[in-house]
Amino acid sequence: MAEAARTLLNFGVNVCQYRSCSRSQLPLLHLVIPGPPPLATSGFLMVVKLLLATAININAKDDEGWSAWRVAASWSSYDILRDIMYTYGTCVELDARTDDGVSVHDLSQDEYFCRKLMPNWSGTDK
């Protein structure tokens, strides 16, 4: 899977394109993130890493206001969240909410979300 993605990238695929999915248009990265672990063994994590290394808009939103950060949080994909933070740092809109006003903490459904994501976290988790 990662090799196919690498080949597409080498041929100049537009990584900022939106693709049709069900009833909406989604940024390419949004289509790779969803799914339960283990992303590492499925090849999806490597595809995410390849996309993160390109000129994608990390804050691109779908029709409901979800960014890649929110999609990864909703699946509790800590590896992807860490990769996004490492690659894009302060460019990520960490506190932005979806169009429905839902926060990343709410989407994660994990009361220790911040502690798992950032081991040195000293604030409140919710």
Side-chain angles (χ1 to χ4, degrees):
M1 178 181 301
E3 191 56 40
R6 191 175 287 111
T7 299
L8 290 170
L9 291 171
N10 288 339
F11 277 102
V13 69
N14 177 3
V15 294
C16 294
Q17 67 180 300
Y18 279 65
R19 301 299 301 164
S20 294
C21 181
S22 299
R23 337 170 274 254
S24 65
Q25 296 279 316
L26 299 173
L28 204 52
L29 185 58
H30 286 56
L31 297 171
V32 181
I33 293 174
L39 287 172
T41 59
S42 68
F44 281 98
L45 184 58
M46 190 60 201
V47 174
V48 168
K49 288 176 185 270
L50 287 169
L51 289 174
L52 289 176
T54 66
I56 63 167
N57 175 358
I58 195 60
N59 293 309
K61 293 180 174 63
D62 63 18
D63 61 331
E64 294 179 344
W66 286 52
S67 67
W69 181 254
R70 275 137 206 81
V71 174
S74 72
W75 286 95
S76 297
S77 298
Y78 292 104
D79 290 337
I80 292 174
L81 291 164
R82 285 185 198 98
D83 284 341
I84 290 172
M85 285 179 64
Y86 177 77
T87 306
Y88 287 90
T90 58
C91 296
V92 180
E93 297 171 355
L94 301 176
D95 296 330
R97 295 177 177 264
T98 65
D99 291 350
D100 295 337
V102 180
S103 73
V104 173
H105 297 109
D106 297 331
L107 291 170
S108 74
Q109 300 178 9
D110 182 345
E111 70 177 292
Y112 300 108
F113 174 77
C114 290
R115 282 179 226 291
K116 288 181 181 175
L117 187 56
M118 299 171 279
N120 296 326
W121 180 258
S122 60
T124 59
D125 279 295
K126 286 249 180 194

